[in-house]
PDB file of all heavy atoms in Angstrom:
ATOM      1  N   ASN A 217     -11.668   5.867 -17.078  1.00 50.00           N
ATOM      2  CA  ASN A 217     -12.706   4.843 -17.033  1.00 50.00           C
ATOM      3  C   ASN A 217     -12.906   4.469 -15.576  1.00 50.00           C
ATOM      4  O   ASN A 217     -12.141   4.874 -14.710  1.00 50.00           O
ATOM      5  CB  ASN A 217     -12.365   3.622 -17.901  1.00 50.00           C
ATOM      6  CG  ASN A 217     -11.121   2.910 -17.429  1.00 50.00           C
ATOM      7  OD1 ASN A 217     -11.041   2.478 -16.289  1.00 50.00           O
ATOM      8  ND2 ASN A 217     -10.144   2.795 -18.311  1.00 50.00           N
ATOM      9  N   GLY A 218     -13.936   3.693 -15.313  1.00 50.00           N
ATOM     10  CA  GLY A 218     -14.272   3.362 -13.934  1.00 50.00           C
ATOM     11  C   GLY A 218     -13.207   2.566 -13.218  1.00 50.00           C
ATOM     12  O   GLY A 218     -13.105   2.596 -11.991  1.00 50.00           O
ATOM     13  N   MET A 219     -12.363   1.834 -13.961  1.00 52.00           N
ATOM     14  CA  MET A 219     -11.351   1.000 -13.324  1.00 52.00           C
ATOM     15  C   MET A 219     -10.087   1.772 -12.989  1.00 52.00           C
ATOM     16  O   MET A 219      -9.517   1.639 -11.928  1.00 52.00           O
ATOM     17  CB  MET A 219     -10.989  -0.179 -14.227  1.00 52.00           C
ATOM     18  CG  MET A 219     -10.054  -1.164 -13.570  1.00 52.00           C
ATOM     19  SD  MET A 219      -9.768  -2.560 -14.655  1.00 52.00           S
ATOM     20  CE  MET A 219      -8.019  -2.679 -14.570  1.00 52.00           C
ATOM     21  N   SER A 220      -9.616   2.603 -13.910  1.00 56.00           N
ATOM     22  CA  SER A 220      -8.331   3.262 -13.697  1.00 56.00           C
ATOM     23  C   SER A 220      -8.471   4.663 -13.107  1.00 56.00           C
ATOM     24  O   SER A 220      -7.700   5.046 -12.258  1.00 56.00           O
ATOM     25  CB  SER A 220      -7.550   3.325 -15.008  1.00 56.00           C
ATOM     26  OG  SER A 220      -8.270   4.057 -15.970  1.00 56.00           O
ATOM     27  N   GLY A 221      -9.404   5.433 -13.573  1.00 56.00           N
ATOM     28  CA  GLY A 221      -9.596   6.779 -13.067  1.00 56.00           C
ATOM     29  C   GLY A 221      -8.488   7.731 -13.462  1.00 56.00           C
ATOM     30  O   GLY A 221      -7.510   7.367 -14.105  1.00 56.00           O
ATOM     31  N   TRP A 222      -8.636   8.970 -13.058  1.00 56.00           N
ATOM     32  CA  TRP A 222      -7.662   9.994 -13.419  1.00 56.00           C
ATOM     33  C   TRP A 222      -6.346   9.824 -12.680  1.00 56.00           C
ATOM     34  O   TRP A 222      -5.325  10.353 -13.097  1.00 56.00           O
ATOM     35  CB  TRP A 222      -8.239  11.378 -13.159  1.00 56.00           C
ATOM     36  CG  TRP A 222      -9.279  11.735 -14.167  1.00 56.00           C
ATOM     37  CD1 TRP A 222     -10.608  11.869 -13.934  1.00 56.00           C
ATOM     38  CD2 TRP A 222      -9.084  11.958 -15.557  1.00 56.00           C
ATOM     39  NE1 TRP A 222     -11.258  12.172 -15.109  1.00 56.00           N
ATOM     40  CE2 TRP A 222     -10.356  12.230 -16.116  1.00 56.00           C
ATOM     41  CE3 TRP A 222      -7.975  11.947 -16.394  1.00 56.00           C
ATOM     42  CZ2 TRP A 222     -10.536  12.499 -17.470  1.00 56.00           C
ATOM     43  CZ3 TRP A 222      -8.161  12.213 -17.743  1.00 56.00           C
ATOM     44  CH2 TRP A 222      -9.425  12.488 -18.262  1.00 56.00           C
ATOM     45  N   GLY A 223      -6.327   9.068 -11.592  1.00 59.00           N
ATOM     46  CA  GLY A 223      -5.070   8.820 -10.900  1.00 59.00           C
ATOM     47  C   GLY A 223      -4.062   8.112 -11.776  1.00 59.00           C
ATOM     48  O   GLY A 223      -2.870   8.390 -11.737  1.00 59.00           O
ATOM     49  N   LEU A 224      -4.541   7.187 -12.617  1.00 60.00           N
ATOM     50  CA  LEU A 224      -3.630   6.495 -13.531  1.00 60.00           C
ATOM     51  C   LEU A 224      -3.189   7.416 -14.654  1.00 60.00           C
ATOM     52  O   LEU A 224      -2.049   7.369 -15.092  1.00 60.00           O
ATOM     53  CB  LEU A 224      -4.303   5.238 -14.101  1.00 60.00           C
ATOM     54  CG  LEU A 224      -3.455   4.367 -15.025  1.00 60.00           C
ATOM     55  CD1 LEU A 224      -2.185   3.901 -14.316  1.00 60.00           C
ATOM     56  CD2 LEU A 224      -4.252   3.170 -15.515  1.00 60.00           C
ATOM     57  N   VAL A 225      -4.074   8.307 -15.091  1.00 61.00           N
ATOM     58  CA  VAL A 225      -3.733   9.236 -16.161  1.00 61.00           C
ATOM     59  C   VAL A 225      -2.587  10.146 -15.739  1.00 61.00           C
ATOM     60  O   VAL A 225      -1.691  10.447 -16.521  1.00 61.00           O
ATOM     61  CB  VAL A 225      -4.963  10.089 -16.556  1.00 61.00           C
ATOM     62  CG1 VAL A 225      -4.587  11.166 -17.554  1.00 61.00           C
ATOM     63  CG2 VAL A 225      -6.058   9.204 -17.117  1.00 61.00           C
ATOM     64  N   ASN A 226      -2.601  10.580 -14.494  1.00 64.00           N
ATOM     65  CA  ASN A 226      -1.623  11.557 -14.021  1.00 64.00           C
ATOM     66  C   ASN A 226      -0.480  10.934 -13.222  1.00 64.00           C
ATOM     67  O   ASN A 226       0.202  11.621 -12.480  1.00 64.00           O
ATOM     68  CB  ASN A 226      -2.335  12.605 -13.154  1.00 64.00           C
ATOM     69  CG  ASN A 226      -3.344  13.375 -13.954  1.00 64.00           C
ATOM     70  OD1 ASN A 226      -3.055  13.814 -15.050  1.00 64.00           O
ATOM     71  ND2 ASN A 226      -4.542  13.513 -13.426  1.00 64.00           N
ATOM     72  N   CYS A 227      -0.242   9.651 -13.400  1.00 70.00           N
ATOM     73  CA  CYS A 227       0.778   8.981 -12.600  1.00 70.00           C
ATOM     74  C   CYS A 227       2.172   9.161 -13.198  1.00 70.00           C
ATOM     75  O   CYS A 227       2.329   9.554 -14.346  1.00 70.00           O
ATOM     76  CB  CYS A 227       0.461   7.495 -12.469  1.00 70.00           C
ATOM     77  SG  CYS A 227       0.633   6.560 -13.997  1.00 70.00           S
ATOM     78  N   ASN A 228       3.181   8.836 -12.387  1.00 73.00           N
ATOM     79  CA  ASN A 228       4.549   8.850 -12.880  1.00 73.00           C
ATOM     80  C   ASN A 228       4.982   7.407 -13.185  1.00 73.00           C
ATOM     81  O   ASN A 228       4.208   6.469 -13.005  1.00 73.00           O
ATOM     82  CB  ASN A 228       5.483   9.533 -11.871  1.00 73.00           C
ATOM     83  CG  ASN A 228       5.517   8.824 -10.537  1.00 73.00           C
ATOM     84  OD1 ASN A 228       5.393   7.606 -10.446  1.00 73.00           O
ATOM     85  ND2 ASN A 228       5.685   9.599  -9.473  1.00 73.00           N
ATOM     86  N   ASP A 229       6.197   7.233 -13.649  1.00 78.00           N
ATOM     87  CA  ASP A 229       6.678   5.905 -14.036  1.00 78.00           C
ATOM     88  C   ASP A 229       6.615   4.901 -12.885  1.00 78.00           C
ATOM     89  O   ASP A 229       6.226   3.750 -13.076  1.00 78.00           O
ATOM     90  CB  ASP A 229       8.114   5.987 -14.554  1.00 78.00           C
ATOM     91  CG  ASP A 229       8.230   6.769 -15.854  1.00 78.00           C
ATOM     92  OD1 ASP A 229       7.186   7.009 -16.499  1.00 78.00           O
ATOM     93  OD2 ASP A 229       9.357   7.138 -16.222  1.00 78.00           O
ATOM     94  N   ALA A 230       7.009   5.335 -11.697  1.00 83.00           N
ATOM     95  CA  ALA A 230       7.001   4.430 -10.543  1.00 83.00           C
ATOM     96  C   ALA A 230       5.577   4.003 -10.199  1.00 83.00           C
ATOM     97  O   ALA A 230       5.340   2.842  -9.862  1.00 83.00           O
ATOM     98  CB  ALA A 230       7.670   5.098  -9.345  1.00 83.00           C
ATOM     99  N   ASP A 231       4.626   4.929 -10.298  1.00 78.00           N
ATOM    100  CA  ASP A 231       3.221   4.588 -10.040  1.00 78.00           C
ATOM    101  C   ASP A 231       2.726   3.557 -11.042  1.00 78.00           C
ATOM    102  O   ASP A 231       2.040   2.605 -10.682  1.00 78.00           O
ATOM    103  CB  ASP A 231       2.325   5.828 -10.126  1.00 78.00           C
ATOM    104  CG  ASP A 231       2.579   6.835  -9.023  1.00 78.00           C
ATOM    105  OD1 ASP A 231       3.059   6.440  -7.937  1.00 78.00           O
ATOM    106  OD2 ASP A 231       2.303   8.031  -9.259  1.00 78.00           O
ATOM    107  N   LEU A 232       3.063   3.759 -12.311  1.00 81.00           N
ATOM    108  CA  LEU A 232       2.619   2.852 -13.364  1.00 81.00           C
ATOM    109  C   LEU A 232       3.215   1.465 -13.171  1.00 81.00           C
ATOM    110  O   LEU A 232       2.515   0.452 -13.270  1.00 81.00           O
ATOM    111  CB  LEU A 232       2.987   3.409 -14.737  1.00 81.00           C
ATOM    112  CG  LEU A 232       2.424   2.664 -15.935  1.00 81.00           C
ATOM    113  CD1 LEU A 232       0.906   2.630 -15.894  1.00 81.00           C
ATOM    114  CD2 LEU A 232       2.902   3.309 -17.220  1.00 81.00           C
ATOM    115  N   ALA A 233       4.504   1.397 -12.855  1.00 86.00           N
ATOM    116  CA  ALA A 233       5.148   0.104 -12.608  1.00 86.00           C
ATOM    117  C   ALA A 233       4.532  -0.581 -11.389  1.00 86.00           C
ATOM    118  O   ALA A 233       4.300  -1.795 -11.394  1.00 86.00           O
ATOM    119  CB  ALA A 233       6.649   0.294 -12.410  1.00 86.00           C
ATOM    120  N   GLY A 234       4.251   0.193 -10.353  1.00 88.00           N
ATOM    121  CA  GLY A 234       3.618  -0.366  -9.164  1.00 88.00           C
ATOM    122  C   GLY A 234       2.231  -0.902  -9.448  1.00 88.00           C
ATOM    123  O   GLY A 234       1.833  -1.952  -8.936  1.00 88.00           O
ATOM    124  N   TYR A 235       1.474  -0.188 -10.290  1.00 85.00           N
ATOM    125  CA  TYR A 235       0.139  -0.640 -10.661  1.00 85.00           C
ATOM    126  C   TYR A 235       0.211  -1.929 -11.472  1.00 85.00           C
ATOM    127  O   TYR A 235      -0.568  -2.852 -11.261  1.00 85.00           O
ATOM    128  CB  TYR A 235      -0.587   0.456 -11.441  1.00 85.00           C
ATOM    129  CG  TYR A 235      -2.033   0.144 -11.725  1.00 85.00           C
ATOM    130  CD1 TYR A 235      -2.946  -0.010 -10.690  1.00 85.00           C
ATOM    131  CD2 TYR A 235      -2.489  -0.001 -13.027  1.00 85.00           C
ATOM    132  CE1 TYR A 235      -4.275  -0.312 -10.943  1.00 85.00           C
ATOM    133  CE2 TYR A 235      -3.811  -0.294 -13.285  1.00 85.00           C
ATOM    134  CZ  TYR A 235      -4.700  -0.450 -12.247  1.00 85.00           C
ATOM    135  OH  TYR A 235      -6.011  -0.754 -12.500  1.00 85.00           O
ATOM    136  N   ALA A 236       1.181  -2.021 -12.376  1.00 88.00           N
ATOM    137  CA  ALA A 236       1.365  -3.246 -13.163  1.00 88.00           C
ATOM    138  C   ALA A 236       1.701  -4.421 -12.249  1.00 88.00           C
ATOM    139  O   ALA A 236       1.182  -5.532 -12.429  1.00 88.00           O
ATOM    140  CB  ALA A 236       2.458  -3.043 -14.210  1.00 88.00           C
ATOM    141  N   ALA A 237       2.559  -4.191 -11.260  1.00 93.00           N
ATOM    142  CA  ALA A 237       2.917  -5.254 -10.311  1.00 93.00           C
ATOM    143  C   ALA A 237       1.696  -5.668  -9.490  1.00 93.00           C
ATOM    144  O   ALA A 237       1.497  -6.862  -9.219  1.00 93.00           O
ATOM    145  CB  ALA A 237       4.049  -4.790  -9.400  1.00 93.00           C
ATOM    146  N   LYS A 238       0.868  -4.704  -9.109  1.00 91.00           N
ATOM    147  CA  LYS A 238      -0.352  -5.016  -8.357  1.00 91.00           C
ATOM    148  C   LYS A 238      -1.284  -5.880  -9.196  1.00 91.00           C
ATOM    149  O   LYS A 238      -1.873  -6.849  -8.691  1.00 91.00           O
ATOM    150  CB  LYS A 238      -1.048  -3.723  -7.934  1.00 91.00           C
ATOM    151  CG  LYS A 238      -2.327  -3.941  -7.164  1.00 91.00           C
ATOM    152  CD  LYS A 238      -2.971  -2.623  -6.775  1.00 91.00           C
ATOM    153  CE  LYS A 238      -4.296  -2.887  -6.076  1.00 91.00           C
ATOM    154  NZ  LYS A 238      -4.995  -1.663  -5.740  1.00 91.00           N
ATOM    155  N   LEU A 239      -1.437  -5.545 -10.472  1.00 91.00           N
ATOM    156  CA  LEU A 239      -2.272  -6.363 -11.361  1.00 91.00           C
ATOM    157  C   LEU A 239      -1.698  -7.768 -11.511  1.00 91.00           C
ATOM    158  O   LEU A 239      -2.444  -8.750 -11.524  1.00 91.00           O
ATOM    159  CB  LEU A 239      -2.398  -5.693 -12.729  1.00 91.00           C
ATOM    160  CG  LEU A 239      -3.234  -4.421 -12.782  1.00 91.00           C
ATOM    161  CD1 LEU A 239      -3.161  -3.798 -14.172  1.00 91.00           C
ATOM    162  CD2 LEU A 239      -4.673  -4.694 -12.401  1.00 91.00           C
ATOM    163  N   ALA A 240      -0.366  -7.870 -11.609  1.00 93.00           N
ATOM    164  CA  ALA A 240       0.275  -9.192 -11.698  1.00 93.00           C
ATOM    165  C   ALA A 240      -0.004  -9.996 -10.434  1.00 93.00           C
ATOM    166  O   ALA A 240      -0.320 -11.192 -10.510  1.00 93.00           O
ATOM    167  CB  ALA A 240       1.778  -9.045 -11.928  1.00 93.00           C
TER     168      ALA A 240
END
Side-chain angles (χ1 to χ4, degrees):
N217 63 57
M219 186 176 132
S220 60
W222 287 111
L224 183 58
V225 174
N226 297 314
C227 69
N228 61 33
D229 294 345
D231 293 334
L232 188 59
Y235 187 63
K238 179 180 177 183
L239 290 175

